Amino acid sequence: MATHHLTLPVDVEAIRGLRLGDLVTVDGEIVATGGLPTHKRIIEAMEGKRELPFPLEGAGFFHLPSYSRDTDHGFEIVYINPTTSTRFNPLMPKIIRHYGLRIVCGKGGLDAECARAMQEVGCVYLSILGGGATLHTDAIKEVTGVGWSDLVTHYRLVKMRVEGLGPLTVGIDAHGNNGYDQLEARARERLPALMEELRAARESAAAGGGSDPAA
């Protein structure tokens, strides 16, 4: 496991240099949202049905919605906290490929089709700490753009400058290695033995008149 400090925008060589399990901190401009309607609008922009508020080519795209408010001085972020990326599995492969995203970040990972898209274009999935709102919010230095202000604040497409965002863990690298799939496979391998152990413990408890350890 290695530690990396990335400044966005970042080139594909740096992304392909990351490996599953590496730790990353990020500086620079990221684009963030937590909304399914927002992702659908991005698809519509790809299809020429609407305009994007700002370019996404080669971006760091974060599933990092904010609790925010509109003030007389502009868009104020009170705090940010990640949302579950798997909600967007059906849409993300198209978005990754079309815009050549370099980073997708959130919690919970993405599926195999997303991982294939990442491998094709040179993109990684960075896992961010769920519930780490204070840590993440402290990394925000400036909001540099807000798109689709007709949406509720946490669905808007927000561009912000961050410093020292992280540490983030490479959960899917640009070589097709998906830590979430590997973890699920290991869990499935262990399940029969665990179930057998539980069955034996229950039978032993019943035979001896003891309590069920699983109760």
Side-chain angles (χ1 to χ4, degrees):
M1 179 183 70
T3 301
H4 307 265
H5 191 99
L6 298 181
T7 299
L8 303 182
V10 64
D11 60 34
V12 68
E13 288 78 13
I15 292 298
R16 293 200 184 277
L18 303 176
R19 291 295 186 269
L20 185 67
D22 284 356
L23 296 179
V24 178
T25 55
V26 171
D27 290 350
E29 279 194 337
I30 67 171
V31 177
T33 185
L36 184 58
T38 320
H39 287 68
K40 291 179 177 178
R41 287 189 180 190
I42 293 171
I43 296 291
E44 290 173 357
M46 290 164 46
E47 296 170 345
K49 298 176 181 177
R50 66 167 68 237
E51 294 291 325
L52 280 178
F54 30 78
L56 292 180
E57 284 77 10
F61 190 81
F62 283 58
H63 293 142
L64 195 60
S66 61
Y67 173 71
S68 309
R69 55 194 173 206
D70 293 305
T71 72
D72 293 339
H73 306 289
F75 187 76
E76 178 187 356
I77 294 178
V78 179
Y79 67 82
I80 54 175
N81 208 41
T83 191
T84 304
S85 297
T86 51
R87 298 166 50 213
F88 313 114
N89 273 333
L91 303 177
M92 285 307 300
K94 291 181 180 179
I95 295 172
I96 291 167
R97 289 185 173 106
H98 185 87
Y99 294 107
L101 298 183
R102 292 289 167 248
I103 293 171
V104 179
C105 179
K107 64 177 184 178
L110 289 167
D111 66 10
E113 182 57 32
C114 293
R116 280 191 288 271
M118 291 179 179
Q119 187 174 9
E120 289 172 18
V121 305
C123 177
V124 293
Y125 181 87
L126 300 180
S127 177
I128 190 169
L129 175 66
T134 301
L135 178 67
H136 309 326
T137 305
D138 284 348
I140 301 173
K141 300 307 173 186
E142 181 184 10
V143 174
T144 57
V146 180
W148 295 325
S149 295
D150 57 306
L151 297 174
V152 294
T153 57
H154 57 286
Y155 280 6
R156 296 177 191 178
L157 202 61
V158 180
K159 185 164 58 172
M160 62 187 82
R161 183 174 62 84
V162 299
E163 291 181 7
L165 180 60
L168 314 170
T169 304
V170 179
I172 305 172
D173 66 22
H175 305 279
N177 300 305
N178 188 332
Y180 299 92
D181 285 353
Q182 293 178 13
L183 182 62
E184 181 178 355
R186 289 197 298 270
R188 289 184 182 278
E189 288 175 2
R190 294 182 59 195
L191 184 59
L194 291 172
M195 294 302 293
E196 176 59 26
E197 183 180 336
L198 181 60
R199 183 198 62 77
R202 282 176 168 167
E203 289 182 355
S204 176
S211 60
D212 185 343

